[in-house]
Amino acid sequence: AAKDKGRDTIALYDQAMDRKARDRREIETDLREAVARDQLNIHYQPVIDLDSGEVGGYEALLRWYHPQRGVVRPDEFLGVAEETGLIVPIGEWVIGQALRETATWDGDFRIAINLSPTQVRSPHLVDVVARAIHAHGFDPGRVEFEITEHVLMQKGSVCGANLEKLRELGTKIALDDFGIGYSSLSYLRRFPFDRIKIDKDFVEDIEQSADNQAIVSSITRLADALGMAATAEGVETRAQLDLLRKLGCQEAQGYLICEPVPGENFATPDAVEAAMHGEASGILDYRK
Ligand code: C2E
Ligand code: MG
Ligand code: MG
Ligand code: MG
């Protein structure tokens, strides 16, 4: 009986593997069509300055409006996109679309765009960025790219050279998801980042965890000493926000302030007010 049970378990496992492989193939096939069929969209999430309460920037977050699956989040398809190289044309679309869409918005905000390792390795990246900035009349200093340590773990010099060239263009570079993974401090020396984004892992239970408070306060001081700004992600409660401000964090982003939503929510000052005031926890409340 034990043997049967083992065999059943293996059969179930095989079935699960089959399903997974089928899922991946399906995602790959559908994703190839997604750009052409106009199924990709960008949602934007505001990042606020904790002193002034003003919007300091918007992070562009990719969404796939899949005809059957509904709105698919990047974690479900980025792996496939990365493995197949599809992330390169998709990422190029994101850069063009984000700058096109936000070029007419009011205010002095940054636009933050995430870049994966394969994108940073791409020989066309810098050209694509330069062309988009030029086409939409963006001040390069208002464009920020978010990379994770995975980019810096790449072998070869193309990544480093591309980051240097982006910097020469005048764009900013942020280190995303800081504190999780390896987060070796030596990455902070490898490139002069403009900003560190503190991973939401440390924000989630910051009120209960003296350890997380110590870590966040250390990261903000480290960032400050290195001439970098610190932004906390994943802020969901007012208490977290107040604590982060007390711990020296300059900027915050999270569902409390605003969820990532389509661009039309930020296209006019009135729309921004409405998007951020939707809850009792409107942005003006954050002003000290
Ligand atoms: P990320 O850059 O670290 O983005 C932050 C993620 O946290 C986003 O997930 C955002 O929706 C989510 N988030 C924001 N506020 C809160 C909150 O208060 N609580 C919680 N629990 N989550 C919050 P999303 O949009 O699913 O994106 C996941 C990841 O996919 C991003 O992580 C980024 O690494 C990647 N990504 C997104 N868009 C792109 C893109 O255009 N290109 C590339 N290469 N990667 C992208
Ligand atoms: Mg990011
Ligand atoms: Mg992040
Ligand atoms: Mg993340």
Side-chain angles (χ1 to χ4, degrees):
K3 221 178 182 175
D4 283 351
K5 211 169 181 187
R7 239 191 331 260
D8 286 353
T9 307
I10 289 167
L12 277 176
Y13 181 75
D14 282 349
Q15 268 174 30
M17 290 297 281
D18 276 355
R19 208 172 320 122
K20 227 175 164 174
R22 216 169 37 238
D23 266 5
R24 292 182 80 82
R25 271 198 306 272
E26 216 177 275
I27 290 174
E28 184 183 341
T29 314
D30 290 0
L31 197 52
R32 284 189 189 281
E33 312 262 300
V35 180
R37 295 199 174 157
D38 208 22
Q39 292 170 0
L40 297 181
N41 282 283
I42 300 176
H43 285 189
Y44 298 87
Q45 187 177 40
V47 181
I48 62 160
D49 184 286
L50 286 176
D51 276 329
S52 67
E54 302 288 345
V55 175
Y58 293 96
E59 180 171 6
L61 294 160
L62 186 58
R63 296 291 181 265
W64 178 8
Y65 293 4
H66 190 287
Q68 280 87 43
R69 293 171 191 246
V71 179
V72 186
R73 300 262 301 237
D75 287 337
E76 290 181 56
F77 63 87
L78 276 181
V80 172
E82 189 71 11
E83 282 165 29
T84 54
L86 279 168
I87 189 63
V88 172
I90 290 174
E92 290 176 358
W93 176 84
V94 170
I95 292 164
Q97 176 65 11
L99 298 194
R100 180 179 316 116
E101 198 174 356
T102 61
T104 56
W105 296 1
D106 228 54
D108 187 24
F109 54 85
R110 293 183 313 275
I111 180 84
I113 297 173
N114 293 281
L115 293 178
S116 74
T118 304
Q119 286 179 272
V120 179
R121 246 189 284 123
S122 158
H124 305 297
L125 174 69
V126 181
D127 275 351
V128 169
V129 171
R131 260 187 282 124
I133 284 173
H134 185 74
H136 305 296
F138 253 86
D139 168 3
R142 289 178 51 214
V143 180
E144 188 164 272
F145 292 102
E146 300 191 358
I147 63 166
T148 64
E149 60 185 18
H150 299 290
V151 168
L152 303 170
M153 288 161 73
Q154 301 282 298
K155 289 205 188 75
S157 54
V158 185
C159 273
N162 273 348
L163 291 178
E164 289 297 342
K165 285 186 208 153
L166 286 177
R167 158 143 267 159
E168 279 164 25
L169 275 182
T171 61
K172 310 273 191 231
I173 315 275
L175 185 55
D176 207 349
D177 299 348
F178 189 74
I180 58 163
Y182 299 97
S183 287
S184 161
L185 294 180
S186 72
Y187 292 131
L188 291 176
R189 280 195 321 197
R190 201 152 329 157
F191 196 80
F193 291 99
D194 297 285
R195 176 183 314 282
I196 294 176
K197 295 194 76 174
I198 303 170
D199 194 82
K200 49 180 170 287
D201 251 32
F202 301 103
V203 174
E204 204 181 342
D205 53 359
I206 193 163
E207 296 151 79
Q208 292 76 39
S209 165
D211 289 351
N212 280 356
Q213 288 171 29
I215 289 168
V216 167
S217 133
S218 302
I219 297 175
T220 58
R221 269 179 291 156
L222 181 63
D224 198 44
L226 295 172
M228 304 172 187
T231 298
E233 7 173 75
V235 181
E236 295 183 358
T237 70
R238 178 65 204 237
Q240 288 169 348
L241 184 119
D242 289 336
L243 196 45
L244 286 163
R245 185 197 281 120
K246 217 178 82 192
L247 295 174
C249 210
Q250 276 120 4
E251 287 193 337
Q253 163 179 18
Y255 296 160
L256 171 74
I257 300 148
C258 189
E259 288 183 20
V261 286
E264 59 250 32
N265 291 284
F266 306 115
T268 64
D270 283 352
V272 178
E273 286 275 299
M276 314 271 279
H277 276 286
E279 317 259 311
S281 56
I283 183 169
L284 291 174
D285 298 347
Y286 301 128
R287 295 181 182 164
K288 277 197 287 196

